Amino acid sequence: MSDDVVKRSFDLIDCVVFAGMLGVSALVGVYQAYKSRKNPDAVREYLVGGQNMSIFPISMSLIASYISGIAILGIPAEMYVYGTQLWSVVIPDCFVSLTMAVVFLPVFYKLQITSSYEYLNLRFNHVVRLMGSIIFLIKMLLYIPLVIYVPALAFNQVTGIHLHLITPIVCVVCIFYTTLGGLKAVVWTDTIQTIVMFGGVIVVMVLGTLRVGGVQEVWRRSQVTDRIEFFNMNPDPTIRHTFWTVVVGNYLNWLATCSVNQAMVQRCLAMPNLRKANITIAVMAVGIVTIISMCCYTGLVIFAAFHKCDPITTKQINKADQLLPFFVMEIAESVPGLPGLFISGVFSAALSTMSTGLNSMSGVIYEDMIKPLLKRPPGDIGASRIMKVTVVLIGALCVGLVFLVEKLSSLIQAGKSLSGITAGPLLGIFTLGMFFPYANSAGASVGGLVSLGFVAWISLGTQAAISTGRIHFLTKPVSVEECPDRFKAFTSTQNSTIILDDAAGEAPFFLYRMSYLWYTWVGFLVAILVGLFVSWITGPNKYRVEDKKLYTPVIHKLLSRTSAATNNTELVKVDRIGKISFPKS
């Protein structure tokens, strides 16, 4: 590997490809703003696209929202360093889609709401709604800076330009089209960016496979180093990735991300009816499985290419998350414009996730926080302007938070760990409301807060233990035997991988060693159990027949029995005090 390859920067074709992607995204925002300028319902147009969107763009937007730059860069790095066990994450996908279609979406559609947190107000009270909104905002403010950092890291690897110089440029473009065009601009730019993202991954995957010598050679080199692992059935919850942690643990994390998260629900509610929304969810599931599988395979391709000269050990790159851009530059000479296409794909994934977050956060802040405080809410134009200003302010805050991201561990683990802080409590609160008629507002509030604090303590404590070196994870073997001599000089300080080897001789606290994929389950169960206990000691909520639409269709038959039993009991009590007689049969 020659130094000129590693240090190569964009050429003119790369710049044209990259600038074209940013330019098209900005133009979509301008076009959608112009197109919807005379819409009488500006708020609904801005938040749910007038609720007349079609299946294709919404499906592409959902895929783009889930597959951020974290997945594009982090999943190949995961395969390279830890092996293929995480690939099993595609298994829960169909179950999550089915759960959304059967359990959660019917409730939101019947209520015809624009913010999923409006549900918490209808089912509990405004305090619970506000708490849910704040938890969502915390989640997005933790996640979006990580999403911004990822493409900047790749851009730095490919071009040498400092990541904190490119970050504001990305964010300004994203804020621009999100502010102007609202949901429709976000959805249509997501569609374009999803196509670019798929194109970039496919090209790198195919060219890399050809360079290594074919799919069989890629698989063989991974098998020799024990990277192929799908069914590690060890039940130990402290093992980072097993079949159980990836499939069962990630199921709930994914469910929380898709089913009650405003960013996802908002897109589903943009569909004209529930049937089309369910079709959209099915298309999203297929798309996510496809892109994740391609990213996983690309990780194996990268290892096969560097199986005799590991660029991390030899200090050619600083982090495993830089493996994919480094590999792209290795194969770029034979394909003009490939670096530009690759960077456009990674930036597309990041822009789509960020724009989704900004649009949904602006809606939540206005609908759940600002509007209830106003004695006389502004008209549609005034409300739309408030949300646009909110987008700008949140975007600027996210840029500032990027500086903290560099201190985190691997992208996949950091992203899932941070999202797990809020995912479990939120899903627990919504599940309390939809499945347990006797849960009251006090139970939902206390359960949510206790769950949030408990999981935050575990997650942040784990990240601190990892960053200080008290926790290490077992990685797969690498080799430097065929590296040039100038690179081998950097390997003298490298040690073989160790696991949970604490210098002080004392293992970290048990919960800190728990796999990060169980965080959502912990938060979910704590929120429900504490919520039910507090509801019991403070006086359970009384079910009313007219509130049936607030509960998931899964329990409607049980509600009918509860209603009948309650009505009979009331009639008996009334008859005994002589105020009414039994109805004639």
Side-chain angles (χ1 to χ4, degrees):
M1 302 174 196
S2 59
D3 292 338
D4 62 319
V5 174
V6 177
K7 296 179 181 178
R8 176 183 169 186
S9 296
F10 270 14
D11 58 22
L12 180 60
I13 298 177
D14 298 323
C15 291
V16 169
V17 172
F18 180 60
M21 185 274 295
L22 292 179
V24 169
S25 298
L27 287 175
V28 169
V30 174
Y31 172 74
Q32 292 297 340
Y34 176 79
K35 187 178 177 181
S36 61
R37 69 192 187 283
K38 295 182 180 180
N39 192 298
D41 193 350
V43 174
R44 200 163 190 82
E45 179 73 16
Y46 193 82
L47 292 180
V48 291
Q51 208 164 22
N52 60 0
M53 300 292 291
S54 56
I55 292 173
F56 176 71
I58 292 293
S59 299
M60 295 300 102
S61 180
L62 288 171
I63 293 169
S65 299
Y66 183 84
I67 305 297
S68 66
I70 295 174
I72 299 296
L73 292 185
I75 290 178
E78 173 73 28
M79 298 298 110
Y80 186 104
V81 177
Y82 298 107
T84 61
Q85 185 61 70
L86 187 66
W87 202 333
S88 304
V89 78
V90 300
I91 296 175
D93 178 47
C94 58
F95 298 104
V96 168
S97 302
L98 183 63
T99 306
M100 285 182 65
V102 173
V103 176
F104 294 99
L105 282 183
V107 178
F108 294 130
Y109 259 91
K110 286 181 181 179
L111 296 174
Q112 286 294 297
I113 53 182
T114 55
S115 165
S116 58
Y117 305 106
E118 287 182 55
Y119 169 80
L120 298 180
N121 191 25
L122 296 172
R123 173 62 178 85
F124 297 114
N125 58 26
H126 179 67
V127 174
V128 179
R129 174 182 182 175
L130 185 62
M131 183 182 69
S133 301
I134 292 173
I135 292 175
F136 167 73
L137 293 175
I138 292 172
K139 170 186 173 65
M140 298 309 294
L141 288 174
L142 289 172
Y143 186 62
I144 288 180
L146 191 61
V147 169
I148 301 169
Y149 169 75
V150 167
L153 182 71
F155 197 83
N156 167 256
Q157 179 66 35
V158 171
T159 67
I161 298 175
H162 197 279
L163 59 89
H164 291 307
L165 292 178
I166 192 62
T167 295
I169 298 175
V170 183
C171 295
V172 166
V173 172
C174 185
I175 293 168
F176 175 76
Y177 72 73
T178 305
T179 302
L180 284 182
L183 182 73
K184 284 188 175 180
V186 170
V187 166
W188 281 109
T189 51
D190 284 354
T191 302
I192 296 168
Q193 290 160 1
T194 301
I195 295 171
V196 174
M197 177 174 65
F198 268 87
V201 173
I202 290 171
V203 170
V204 173
M205 180 179 68
V206 171
L207 290 177
T209 301
L210 293 175
R211 169 177 170 152
V212 170
V215 176
Q216 287 185 333
E217 185 62 18
V218 169
W219 203 258
R220 186 190 69 80
R221 293 181 183 181
S222 297
Q223 278 187 319
V224 168
T225 54
D226 199 33
R227 275 175 170 74
I228 307 302
E229 181 182 38
F230 293 105
F231 300 103
N232 180 351
M233 309 305 283
N234 193 326
D236 185 353
T238 64
I239 298 178
R240 184 173 179 270
H241 285 164
T242 65
F243 179 85
W244 305 115
T245 58
V246 173
V247 175
V248 180
N250 200 67
Y251 164 77
L252 214 63
N253 188 287
W254 200 342
L255 182 64
T257 299
C258 295
S259 61
V260 299
N261 187 315
Q262 170 67 8
M264 290 294 189
V265 172
Q266 190 173 330
R267 272 138 194 77
C268 294
L269 294 178
M271 302 301 296
N273 56 59
L274 182 58
R275 185 182 68 84
K276 288 189 174 182
N278 288 336
I279 294 173
T280 300
I281 295 300
V283 175
M284 177 197 75
V286 173
I288 289 175
V289 167
T290 303
I291 190 68
I292 287 180
S293 295
M294 289 195 301
C295 289
C296 289
Y297 175 73
T298 300
L300 299 183
V301 170
I302 296 172
F303 171 74
F306 298 130
H307 76 296
K308 293 296 185 181
C309 186
D310 176 41
I312 305 173
T313 305
T314 56
K315 302 296 184 180
Q316 296 174 72
I317 58 177
N318 297 320
K319 286 186 173 184
D321 302 314
Q322 295 174 307
L323 278 165
L324 182 55
F326 179 80
F327 179 64
V328 168
M329 295 311 295
E330 283 286 303
I331 63 176
E333 287 193 78
S334 59
V335 185
L338 178 60
L341 177 63
F342 165 72
I343 290 297
S344 296
V346 177
F347 267 103
S348 292
L351 285 170
S352 61
T353 306
M354 181 179 180
S355 61
T356 297
L358 293 179
N359 182 253
S360 57
M361 281 195 289
S362 69
V364 167
I365 289 173
Y366 175 74
E367 292 286 343
D368 299 345
M369 298 180 179
I370 297 176
K371 188 176 178 179
L373 297 177
L374 301 176
K375 293 182 179 179
R376 185 175 299 176
D380 284 339
I381 296 177
S384 178
R385 287 175 178 170
I386 291 174
M387 287 187 285
K388 290 177 180 180
V389 171
T390 304
V391 167
V392 175
L393 294 176
I394 296 172
L397 176 61
C398 290
V399 175
L401 292 174
V402 172
F403 290 92
L404 301 176
V405 172
E406 292 177 287
K407 308 300 182 184
L408 298 176
S409 59
S410 70
L411 293 180
I412 290 293
Q413 173 148 346
K416 292 281 188 181
S417 297
L418 292 177
S419 68
I421 294 176
T422 56
L426 270 181
L427 186 61
I429 294 172
F430 276 93
T431 302
L432 265 178
M434 293 186 185
F435 279 87
F436 299 95
Y438 304 114
N440 62 22
S441 56
S445 301
V446 176
L449 290 174
V450 171
S451 173
L452 181 68
F454 185 62
V455 181
W457 166 60
I458 296 173
S459 180
L460 297 178
T462 302
Q463 286 296 317
I466 293 173
S467 63
T468 57
R470 296 182 65 231
I471 294 179
H472 299 267
F473 298 103
L474 184 65
T475 60
K476 299 300 181 181
V478 294
S479 172
V480 295
E481 64 182 71
E482 293 184 6
C483 288
D485 291 338
R486 66 181 182 277
F487 291 141
K488 288 183 179 179
F490 292 103
T491 66
S492 58
T493 59
Q494 295 293 317
N495 299 318
S496 57
T497 304
I498 53 178
I499 181 169
L500 301 178
D501 180 21
D502 185 26
E506 181 181 348
F509 182 56
F510 170 77
L511 290 178
Y512 293 168
R513 293 183 285 122
M514 178 178 64
S515 173
Y516 64 96
L517 292 175
W518 291 118
Y519 291 172
T520 305
W521 274 100
V522 172
F524 173 75
L525 294 175
V526 169
I528 290 178
L529 294 176
V530 172
L532 290 175
F533 177 73
V534 172
S535 298
W536 176 65
I537 62 176
T538 57
N541 175 65
K542 294 182 179 179
Y543 170 70
R544 298 179 302 176
V545 177
E546 57 267 30
D547 291 338
K548 187 175 182 179
K549 61 184 178 181
L550 295 173
Y551 303 98
T552 177
V554 174
I555 67 166
H556 278 183
K557 289 185 178 180
L558 296 175
L559 292 177
S560 299
R561 295 173 187 172
T562 301
S563 176
T566 302
N567 290 338
N568 288 337
T569 301
E570 289 176 353
L571 285 174
V572 170
K573 288 181 179 178
V574 172
D575 180 73
R576 285 175 177 171
I577 61 175
K579 291 186 178 180
I580 192 170
S581 60
F582 284 110
K584 295 180 180 180
S585 57

